[in-house]
Amino acid sequence: MAKNKNLIYIAISIVAFLVLAFLYSTPVFTGKQLFQHDIVQYRGGAKELIDFRDSFDKETYWSDSMFGGMPTYQMGSRFEGDIIKNLDSYLNILPRPVNYLFLLFSGFFLLGMVAVRNWKYALLGATFFGLSTYFYIIIAAGHNGKVNTIEYFAPLLAGILLVYIRKKYVLGFIVTTLFFGLQVAANHPQMTYYLFLGLGFLFLSELIRALKNKTPMKHFLVSSGIIASALAIGVGMNSQRIMANSEYIKETVRGKQILNTENHTAGNSGMDKESILMWSYGKLETLNLFIPRLMGGGSQEPEAAEMMTKVQELVQENVTSQAEYDRISKGFGSVTYWGDQPGTSGPAYQGAIVCFLALLGFFFASKKYRYWILGATILTILLAWGSNFMFLSDFFIEYIPFYSKFRAPSSILVVIELLFPLIAIIGLYRFYTDSKLEEDYKKKVLTYVSGGVLGLTLILILFGKSLLGFHTDNEKTYLPPFLLDYLTEERFKLFRIDAIKALLYVGITAAVLFFSLKQKLNQNVALIIIGVVSLFDLWTVNKRYLNDENYVDKIFAENPFQTEGSDYLAEKVGDNPNLQSILASIPVNKTLETIAEKDKKHYRVYNQVLGVTSETNTSYFTSSIGGYHAVRLRRYDDLLNEYISNADSVKTPKILNLLNTKYMIFGNPQEPQVVPNPNANGNAWFVGDLKFVNTPDEEIKSLGNIDSKKTAVINASDKTYFSGKQVQADSTASINLTKYEANELEFKSQSKTPQLAVISEIYYPHGWKMFVDEKEVPYIKVDYLLRAVHVPAGEHSIRMVFEPKVIETGKWISLICFGLFVLLSGFGIYFMYRKRDKREILVEEKL
């Protein structure tokens, strides 16, 4: 009876999560959808991929839409036989963001049930975790892969705890394998990597417990073997994705550096240190976990518009010279945010009550949880500081595998957002249920922690302006007193509002716990009060960053690249800041659409109006030399940095010609100007002059000085390619593109002499095959990043096709591993129930 009652409460909790998720996302009831910046960019960049899929009912793993061409592995490509990803799609079937919120709540509920085996505390912890502010910030931004990965943090940890702590080997294996496989399928390895940095402390804790005979060594070894097997199979079920991305990453900005420059050293892996550490959390900024707007919150808080209007008024009233205005411009950044990061959409607010209970949890929780969570928390905070704690950051960048592959160390705080709710409910559960915790000890800890937290908060409220400053060093240097004083006062007001709320919320929670100690408050009532107050706290803060303004009509969400303006459209957009960018881009989009409709050949466009590396409007309509993607090919990124970012009136046009840039767009978003480029090299051309150089630095430097229509720059290491081959100029020779698809190109050529054909397609050493007259032939890299093939005299057909072997190999490994998971799970369940039946028979015989 009790078991059935418990199941009813669990079912009610699941329904409650569904209700909470829909209540937070009420605009979905009217058919509206989230408008997410990164998803808008994705739609533009993936347009060729999606069109190819719709037209041919198959997948292309290469697209020319962005950055001259790149694999689609991180652009939403699908893999045949990808069962685990299909399962992820089914779990996320609810409308966005209801799906994310529901799975965040539900996943932690499972973790709570494993950790404390009580649905009330699991329900409370689920709201703590599922309402973490950072999740709502990344949902608003469109970091869907990130939040999709975080969804599976809690259930994965639940599976590991089932094995290590609960000794439920079969169930733990199934849960760990399944949710690790789903997490990898969500395809945000940075989040998974950070999680396992934290979970390393759990492994270390269990090892120490075994060495101290707190738990049998046999159990530790068996558990570790089971977990290792589960993780291996979870990886195996994603073999296509992992193998393809591993192959790709080596050729990108996350792989080895090629050039020797001020910021790069050939052979070094990963990004340069400055890029890795750019978004580093300030040491003081860490208190944003407890007080959201300690440092102004985000760069664009709800109050930002009003503050900006006042700033403009003050400047107009007080600034009398251009020199003074220029000086202000040097010091002015965000009106609200004054932290150490270049900018931020909002704070990693965990909740005042959650942080308070987590502190108590470090005293009340059992040692098997307390120490490893504390160690993971400390490491997470220190790594989040990034450039503000260089001793540790340098060590991890230099010596810890893969750490240098990721940027924005502040995002490692997701580990705390998992562990604080966990230690909070474990500590709270023991506070109420464990008779081994003496009342005097509980009262003493509660008094000191409450007094310390409330006292510190009160000091910050009373003396925060002088203690914290509320301005940056740059602002203090360049801003005049009238402006600095205004910003300081307004930021302090934002902080004071949140600090007073934190004081109130913690005070209520502390009072509830004290009354519980005195037997004046029932445990259930106490949990309800804590839950309601925490829910109100997190809900209201989250609504600053993800609210009704983030939802738009379906037409805007699914087609953000509008090409025709109208009064109706303007009325629909209204004053929604998320949609005004759509109206502003209409002239540029119309220009791009016109180019694409009039010229249906294959070429690329240089769009200077929207920024070469910060838009995918161009890619939506045609192929672009730019785009928007954090993991682009290293060689292409080097070329952009050398010639496009640092524009040169002589050298940059030569590079645009090399990339077959047929059209250039200048001017401004409202009046874009199309400039045809008659000097573009075309899709392919023959060269008669080969210039051999010794280093990659010489290769890339030479491109700005040669006539690429006549000369190809080749690394000396490829001289052997020409062994037995001749190359001789022929002014009558020609080569023309006859077929273009995203993953296949065909050319026809004729020449009187042997030629080297340079093809304006980005060199990628994995998967591309070259055929001359349908016979596969080798090809080489020329001009630092293009492809070239030797073509004999006469008439020939040349075909390139992208058929990466890694996809087919990975598919079979994925299917085998999924089958192995099902088989092992089946056997495990069978033997588990068989063993249970035997125990029941023995009990009956004894009776």
Side-chain angles (χ1 to χ4, degrees), residues 76-97:
S77 58
R78 298 172 182 172
F79 301 100
E80 185 182 353
D82 195 0
I83 299 174
I84 194 69
K85 186 60 181 178
N86 291 335
L87 180 56
D88 171 68
S89 299
Y90 290 133
L91 289 173
N92 282 279
I93 199 169
L94 293 170
R96 189 182 302 153

Side-chain angles (χ1 to χ4, degrees), residues 438-454:
E438 296 180 356
E439 186 173 335
D440 287 344
Y441 175 76
K442 288 192 282 189
K443 188 181 295 184
K444 182 178 179 181
V445 169
L446 189 56
T447 300
Y448 285 134
V449 173
S450 301
V453 171
L454 292 171

Side-chain angles (χ1 to χ4, degrees), residues 162-429:
L162 278 169
V163 176
Y164 273 130
I165 306 298
R166 299 298 178 204
K167 299 183 181 179
K168 303 289 185 180
Y169 299 133
V170 174
L171 182 59
F173 168 79
I174 293 172
V175 173
T176 302
T177 308
L178 177 61
F179 286 105
F180 183 63
L182 287 167
Q183 187 175 133
V184 175
N187 201 28
H188 203 294
Q190 181 176 6
M191 293 298 99
T192 300
Y193 181 85
Y194 287 161
L195 174 64
F196 275 87
L197 284 181
L199 295 185
F201 285 89
L202 171 58
F203 174 82
L204 185 62
S205 170
E206 289 301 303
L207 174 60
I208 292 172
R209 290 179 68 215
L211 292 173
K212 288 186 172 183
N213 294 320
K214 300 289 184 180
T215 187
M217 180 60 74
K218 180 182 177 181
H219 163 68
F220 171 76
L221 294 175
V222 169
S223 297
S224 298
I226 290 172
I227 295 299
S229 300
L231 298 180
I233 294 174
V235 168
M237 291 191 293
N238 288 276
S239 292
Q240 284 174 295
R241 183 172 296 101
I242 292 173
M243 291 170 67
N245 277 304
S246 296
E247 189 177 76
Y248 171 55
I249 287 296
K250 295 173 185 176
E251 309 300 327
T252 72
V253 292
R254 307 297 172 93
K256 286 187 177 180
Q257 298 168 14
I258 300 170
L259 302 175
N260 281 302
T261 66
E262 184 179 346
N263 296 319
H264 297 84
T265 302
N268 281 5
S269 293
M271 298 174 287
D272 61 272
K273 196 173 293 186
E274 183 181 354
S275 298
I276 295 170
L277 302 176
M278 186 172 290
W279 268 269
S280 296
Y281 230 56
K283 294 178 180 178
L284 185 61
E285 195 170 5
T286 308
L287 288 176
N288 272 348
L289 291 163
F290 179 70
I291 302 173
R293 291 189 291 196
L294 180 89
M295 290 196 157
S299 300
Q300 294 296 324
E301 288 290 314
E303 295 83 356
E306 184 179 339
M307 288 175 64
M308 179 59 76
T309 300
K310 182 63 177 179
V311 166
Q312 291 170 343
E313 291 176 3
L314 289 171
V315 170
Q316 289 176 355
E317 292 171 2
N318 294 278
V319 175
T320 57
S321 68
Q322 183 64 41
E324 190 175 0
Y325 181 82
D326 291 342
R327 180 178 175 83
I328 290 173
S329 298
K330 290 181 180 178
F332 194 76
S334 166
V335 291
T336 51
Y337 179 69
W338 56 281
D340 290 359
Q341 299 178 83
T344 178
S345 298
Y349 182 55
Q350 183 64 73
I353 290 175
V354 180
C355 289
F356 174 62
L357 291 177
L359 287 176
L360 291 175
F362 288 121
F363 293 96
F364 293 146
S366 59
K367 293 180 180 179
K368 61 186 175 185
Y369 289 107
R370 187 191 309 174
Y371 294 128
W372 77 262
I373 292 179
L374 179 62
T377 297
I378 293 171
L379 178 67
T380 295
I381 290 173
L382 296 181
L383 286 176
W385 289 348
S387 58
N388 298 307
F389 198 68
M390 285 304 298
F391 167 76
L392 187 63
S393 295
D394 274 336
F395 176 81
F396 268 71
I397 290 170
E398 294 295 329
Y399 300 108
I400 303 301
F402 308 116
Y403 188 79
S404 64
K405 305 290 184 185
F406 308 116
R407 60 177 183 162
S410 59
S411 60
I412 198 175
L413 291 173
V414 293
V415 178
I416 284 182
E417 282 147 3
L418 170 68
L419 298 182
F420 266 28
L422 178 60
I423 194 70
I425 63 167
I426 292 173
L428 193 62
Y429 178 74

Side-chain angles (χ1 to χ4, degrees), residues 723-742:
S723 178
K725 298 184 180 76
Q726 290 184 340
V727 174
Q728 187 176 346
D730 175 8
S731 60
T732 66
S734 64
I735 179 170
N736 298 296
L737 180 69
T738 57
K739 175 186 176 182
Y740 169 78
E741 289 178 3

